[in-house]
Amino acid sequence: MRVTTSLSYEQSIVNLQKRQQELSNSQVQLTSGKRVNKASDDPTAAARAERALTSIARTEANQRAIDASRNVMNIAESAMADSIDLMQSARETLVAIGNGSYTDSERSALANKLAEIRKQLLNVANRPDGGGGYVFGGQGSSSPPFVDTPTGVEFQGQSGEIMASSGEALNLTIDGRKAWLQAKSGNGVFTATPDSGNSGSAWVTSGAVTNPSQLPYPSSAATPPSYSVVFNVSGSTTTYDILDDSGTTLVSGQAYKAGKAIDIPGLGMSVTISGGPGNGDKFTVGQSEPDLSIFDSLDKAISTLKTAGINNGQVMQAVNTGVTELDSVLGNMQGSRSAVGETLNRMDGIESRNSALKLAAKTEKSNAEDLDMTEAISEFTNRQSGYQAALQSYASIQKLSLFQYIG
């Protein structure tokens, strides 16, 4: 086989360029610390690294959602704690007002204290979230969601909750209507209320469930059934009848004893009426509904207790009803606070899982593209030595020419 001088030179240069390219690649890897610097270096590894980067970006976005939700939930938890303290204070004030020795002016002074507590509760209900919105704004509100109108406090936000853009359910707001305006009325099962036209000094408690299996509530009827206790006073004799909403008499001419529980036959519930009822006075038992507002409850109590000349029965009814409704609202708020606490606890678990996913993605990315520095340095040294040997070999071959001998 005939090997020409030009072919020998050309092959030597090709080999030199190849070794130089390999040496350059090793140098780039060492300086970057990456085995894969572009997709063409290792398409499979580059695809793995890209998927890992996407996973890292997703977990970082989820973490931002967790941080935003945690901030709002911490503010909400603090607001609910403040509201519960204020409601407890209002309850203690109502109990104090029940002192029968108080004069109209003393009751009015305590009612003014309730009015101040109401103002503070309204401020808490409109607490901002620090980001231009409101904690209890529901599905979003650019203005305070609770507005004090002549007819009472109204929720002018949108019911519901805003959720963070995340794979997990993370709140950015609380449903203000549900937290503040939708407690269960009465004792949570039924209500017991005096008729507005009552003339006596009797008052009724919130009642008690005596046999849950007999309860007519909750009722799915469009108009739930109701029952009435109607008093008949003749001289020194006081009796009562119990009627249903169709007018059918369930109990007739039963002797009244103040403070003794009155059972509604066959319905598993009883109410206790105290004081002196007037002839024709009526007390109605109806189904409890989730429509009790803390502000309406305080408004009714304040209005009654500021009225001059009311009798002891009216005072006791206002106090008893106010305390019962405050207890219901307190229970509703405590339930909402517990839900917020559970959300905060759940965030810790979500954050832990998020961190584990991010670490796994970073590990996958590192495995796909990172460089083994010990191996790379060894390979760089070998290639450097090989390139130097090739240069020396080329230089030696370049001198071997027939013309050099002829000359």
Side-chain angles (χ1 to χ4, degrees), residues 73 107 186 191 318 369:
M73 291 300 100
R107 278 197 300 271
T191 60
E369 65 178 14

Side-chain angles (χ1 to χ4, degrees), residues 22 35 51 111 126 129-131 139 165 229 249 289 303 316 353 362 377 383 401:
E22 290 174 348
R35 184 178 65 84
R51 285 194 297 270
N126 283 327
D129 61 7
Q139 293 191 31
S165 298
V229 180
T249 301
E289 298 292 345
S303 176
M316 292 306 298
R353 294 195 298 273
K362 284 185 173 181
I377 291 171
R383 286 178 175 176
S401 169

Side-chain angles (χ1 to χ4, degrees), residues 56-365:
I56 292 169
R58 184 164 56 247
T59 54
E60 288 175 346
N62 288 341
Q63 185 59 48
R64 288 193 293 271
I66 292 170
D67 293 340
S69 181
R70 190 192 300 279
N71 178 60
V72 174
M73 291 300 100
N74 281 327
I75 296 174
E77 202 279 335
S78 175
M80 289 176 175
D82 292 343
S83 69
I84 289 171
D85 290 342
L86 288 168
M87 289 179 201
Q88 291 285 12
S89 178
R91 191 184 191 281
E92 292 168 4
T93 303
L94 272 173
V95 172
I97 292 175
N99 189 330
S101 64
Y102 280 171
T103 63
D104 286 348
S105 60
E106 288 172 327
R107 278 197 300 271
S108 181
L110 289 174
N112 288 334
K113 180 180 177 181
L114 287 178
E116 288 302 314
I117 291 174
R118 178 191 181 279
K119 290 180 183 178
Q120 294 180 62
L121 283 169
L122 183 58
N123 288 333
V124 174
N126 283 327
R127 183 163 293 181
D129 61 7
Y134 295 87
V135 174
F136 299 100
Q139 293 191 31
S141 176
S142 58
S143 58
F146 291 90
V147 179
D148 202 356
T149 70
T151 57
V153 173
E154 295 181 358
F155 181 72
Q156 296 189 351
Q158 191 73 20
S159 293
E161 298 167 335
I162 295 178
M163 310 302 288
S165 298
S166 169
E168 304 278 356
L170 299 172
N171 293 57
L172 291 177
T173 60
I174 300 294
D175 188 345
R177 186 190 300 278
K178 183 178 179 182
W180 293 87
L181 309 181
Q182 291 187 338
K184 294 282 283 185
S185 58
N187 59 17
V189 178
F190 63 88
T191 60
T193 56
D195 191 79
S196 60
N198 286 357
S199 59
S201 60
W203 71 92
V204 64
T205 65
S206 58
V209 175
T210 57
N211 190 339
S213 64
Q214 293 181 335
L215 283 172
Y217 307 123
S219 171
S220 59
T223 303
S226 62
Y227 306 89
S228 302
V229 180
V230 181
F231 285 91
N232 303 296
V233 180
S234 178
S236 61
T237 302
T238 302
T239 61
Y240 63 86
D241 302 333
I242 300 178
L243 298 82
D244 63 17
D245 52 9
S246 67
T248 301
T249 301
L250 306 178
V251 173
S252 177
Q254 188 71 31
Y256 167 68
K257 292 183 180 180
K260 182 180 179 181
I262 297 174
D263 290 318
I264 300 179
L267 297 175
M269 52 188 178
S270 67
V271 295
T272 300
I273 298 175
S274 302
N279 187 44
D281 282 2
K282 182 171 70 172
F283 295 84
T284 303
V285 175
Q287 177 171 281
S288 176
E289 298 292 345
D291 59 1
L292 179 60
S293 160
I294 176 59
F295 304 106
D296 289 348
S297 179
L298 288 174
D299 286 343
K300 286 186 297 182
I302 292 167
S303 176
T304 300
L305 296 170
K306 279 189 173 184
T307 303
I310 58 175
N311 60 44
N312 187 59
Q314 291 170 307
V315 172
M316 292 306 298
Q317 186 65 72
V319 169
N320 189 278
T321 301
V323 168
T324 298
E325 291 183 348
L326 272 173
D327 286 344
S328 180
V329 173
L330 270 168
N332 188 59
M333 186 61 71
Q334 286 167 342
S336 296
R337 187 183 181 187
S338 296
V340 169
E342 283 301 317
T343 299
L344 286 169
N345 287 338
R346 187 161 50 83
M347 283 181 197
D348 293 337
I350 296 171
E351 195 166 31
S352 178
R353 294 195 298 273
N354 213 41
S355 297
L357 287 172
K358 186 175 182 179
L359 178 60
K362 284 185 173 181
T363 302
E364 173 66 9
K365 180 174 180 291

